Amino acid sequence: MISKLKKNLTILLSALFCVVLMGGLIMFCWGSYEDRLMELRRQVRLEVSETGLKQIEKTRGAALEMESVDYVLFHVQKDGTVELYSNYMQGIDEEKLYVYAQKVADHWKEPLEFREVTSVTKQGKSGRYIVLISVYPAVRAMIPAIVVCLLFAGAGIALLILLTQLLSRRLVRPVEQMISSEKKFMSNAGHELKTPLTVISANTQLLEAEIGDNRHLQYIRQETEHMIAMVNKMLTLMRLDTPMEQTEYRKFCVDESLLDVIYPMESVAYEKKLTMDIDVQEQMQMIGDEDQIKNLMSILLDNAISYTPEGGNIAIRASLRARRFTLCVSNTGAPIPKEQQEKLFERFYRMDEARGDNGSHFGLGLSIAGSIVANHHGKIWVESREGQNVFQVVLPAGR
């Protein structure tokens, strides 16, 4: 859980900082581009002023010479007619240039910018003059700056990821310490509880042997066994969450391990009048912890038996293909709501009591199953379809 929290926090902080960094670089590049366009328009205004509108009008634009700029000169008469004087711009259709010029003629208050051109306007005696200027010189001038910004962005993102990893570790450390203390407390409390519970259970059995059947002793024994089962599950969770206590993974016949769990449970299902459909592929081998895989199978099967109504059906499918072990345990019964399906693998989470487990489950079994799957780097999920609740597990089988 801590590693997942660190990962999510690193992704969140990295994304946030990257957005800020990229936003700053985009604003810088756009500002530089606008400055270059302003400089381009200033240069054109200066050329027009030096040439003079009279001379431009007299020569129909031939007197205006700007070799370093691609431009088009339009004359807008007093009746609004747009007339082309000279065209020194390649790559743009003349019809499109007329459209741009007409738009500029309709909006004189500020220079308009288009995707391909920007504009400069001048007022003359016979009408207004429009100079459409290609923006490509400004774009070309921006290429070195864009390359530098991209290099800076790459280096900045790499540095940000490193910094956010360090920051996320620092931020998560108090939570990690708190969870570690909680686990230590639960582990110590579990071990401390086992001894008195075992003593109570043993003395209850002795009293039952001496005085015979007694419903009060029966209640004490049942509740004591109930508590011992819960403590054992809590201790199992603590062991699964502590990597140092995990056993070394070895190759084993997973089909034999599954059947060792399934066959003894058939009598339990029979007593509840349930049918079991078993399809386990033979000679399957995988690398992992055999005891944990058995525990996983036991949890899923016990869960299926507990929540399948009388006369229902349980189906168990297990196969190994492409180095991936797949286990599927499905049972008929009330469908699990979609909003609760992911929560089933959280600790101490139980659906409403209407499912009818009579308090025999503590919300730890499926959490243990989830931890076992996580320790084997696999995936577990549940679906409800066609009147069945389907628990599916996919684990890497190893080499």
Side-chain angles (χ1 to χ4, degrees):
M1 185 178 70
I2 292 296
S3 59
K4 187 176 181 180
L5 180 60
K6 287 180 182 177
K7 181 180 177 181
N8 291 339
L9 194 57
T10 300
I11 292 173
L12 179 63
L13 292 174
S14 299
L16 180 62
F17 290 149
C18 286
V19 167
V20 173
L21 175 63
M22 295 304 295
L25 291 176
I26 290 172
M27 290 178 64
F28 170 76
C29 290
W30 183 256
S32 300
Y33 174 69
E34 289 290 332
D35 290 342
R36 293 179 187 277
L37 285 183
M38 288 179 63
E39 177 62 25
L40 198 58
R41 289 194 293 266
R42 189 194 65 79
Q43 178 185 346
V44 170
R45 288 193 184 97
L46 183 61
E47 291 286 347
V48 171
S49 298
E50 289 179 352
T51 305
L53 290 178
K54 289 184 178 180
Q55 191 67 19
I56 291 173
E57 186 175 341
K58 183 178 179 180
T59 60
R60 296 180 64 85
L64 184 63
E65 296 180 359
M66 295 185 292
E67 296 180 356
S68 60
V69 179
D70 293 338
Y71 70 96
V72 181
L73 178 63
F74 286 94
H75 176 246
V76 183
Q77 300 177 4
K78 293 182 179 180
D79 61 357
T81 303
V82 177
E83 183 182 3
L84 177 64
Y85 267 16
S86 57
N87 184 356
Y88 296 96
M89 188 182 299
Q90 298 179 353
I92 303 180
D93 295 337
E94 201 168 280
E95 183 179 350
K96 185 182 289 187
L97 293 173
Y98 267 103
V99 173
Y100 290 153
Q102 189 62 59
K103 288 183 178 179
V104 175
D106 296 337
H107 302 85
W108 292 99
K109 292 185 178 180
E110 58 183 17
L112 296 182
E113 294 181 13
F114 305 97
R115 184 172 61 88
E116 299 166 304
V117 297
T118 185
S119 62
V120 170
T121 60
K122 280 286 187 177
Q123 178 68 49
K125 290 184 178 181
S126 62
R128 292 187 175 95
Y129 292 90
I130 299 173
V131 183
L132 297 181
I133 314 158
S134 173
V135 300
Y136 291 123
V139 173
R140 285 194 296 270
M142 283 297 300
I143 290 176
I146 292 173
V147 172
V148 171
C149 285
L150 289 175
L151 293 174
F152 180 75
I157 289 172
L159 181 62
L160 282 174
I161 291 174
L162 178 62
L163 291 176
T164 51
Q165 285 180 338
L166 296 175
L167 181 60
S168 64
R169 290 176 187 171
R170 195 177 190 88
L171 291 174
V172 170
R173 191 173 299 156
V175 180
E176 190 174 11
Q177 292 173 348
M178 181 184 69
I179 293 177
S180 178
S181 300
E182 179 186 333
K183 289 179 180 178
K184 187 175 181 181
F185 168 77
M186 290 181 66
S187 179
N188 291 338
H191 285 292
E192 291 294 328
L193 285 170
K194 283 190 74 174
T195 301
L197 288 172
T198 304
V199 172
I200 293 171
S201 178
N203 282 281
T204 303
Q205 290 177 6
L206 287 174
L207 286 172
E208 284 183 326
E210 288 184 9
I211 65 176
D213 291 337
N214 183 285
R215 62 188 180 92
H216 299 293
L217 291 176
Q218 208 171 28
Y219 295 153
I220 293 173
R221 179 172 51 79
Q222 287 175 353
E223 292 304 317
T224 303
E225 291 173 353
H226 197 217
M227 287 293 295
I228 291 173
M230 184 179 70
V231 169
N232 287 333
K233 286 188 175 182
M234 289 173 59
L235 293 175
T236 300
L237 268 178
M238 295 303 103
R239 287 194 297 271
L240 290 172
D241 285 346
T242 307
M244 292 183 300
E245 296 184 7
Q246 292 179 1
T247 58
E248 183 180 354
Y249 290 168
R250 297 178 181 177
K251 183 178 287 188
F252 65 98
C253 293
V254 65
D255 53 306
E256 295 180 2
S257 300
L258 295 180
L259 294 176
D260 287 344
V261 176
I262 295 170
Y263 287 149
M265 297 290 282
E266 283 187 312
S267 59
V268 180
Y270 178 77
E271 288 181 3
K272 200 175 175 181
K273 298 181 181 178
L274 306 178
T275 59
M276 291 183 64
D277 183 10
I278 304 169
D279 182 10
V280 176
Q281 181 181 328
E282 296 181 353
Q283 298 181 347
M284 291 188 296
Q285 289 193 335
M286 68 172 290
I287 296 176
D289 188 318
E290 184 176 4
D291 291 335
Q292 289 187 15
I293 298 301
K294 284 184 175 182
N295 196 7
L296 171 65
M297 182 71 251
S298 177
I299 290 168
L300 295 179
L301 188 51
D302 178 66
N303 182 78
I305 292 174
S306 298
Y307 295 122
T308 303
E310 187 174 309
N313 175 261
I314 297 173
I316 302 168
R317 303 279 185 272
S319 61
L320 181 63
R321 291 185 178 86
R323 310 309 304 166
R324 292 170 69 87
F325 169 68
T326 302
L327 173 64
C328 177
V329 179
S330 60
N331 64 282
T332 55
I336 301 173
K338 196 169 185 64
E339 63 273 10
Q340 295 185 350
Q341 290 176 4
E342 292 185 4
K343 296 180 181 179
L344 283 180
F345 302 99
E346 296 177 3
R347 294 181 187 182
F348 304 107
Y349 178 81
R350 294 173 62 197
M351 292 182 61
D352 55 44
E353 302 298 333
R355 294 196 71 191
D357 64 356
N358 297 320
S360 61
H361 292 77
F362 316 100
L364 289 173
L366 290 176
S367 177
I368 292 173
S371 296
I372 292 172
V373 172
N375 286 346
H376 285 78
H377 309 290
K379 184 179 179 182
I380 183 170
W381 71 96
V382 60
E383 298 175 352
S384 292
R385 58 174 185 260
E386 299 176 358
Q388 291 188 329
N389 295 315
V390 184
F391 286 82
Q392 298 191 73
V393 176
V394 177
L395 303 176
R399 296 182 179 179

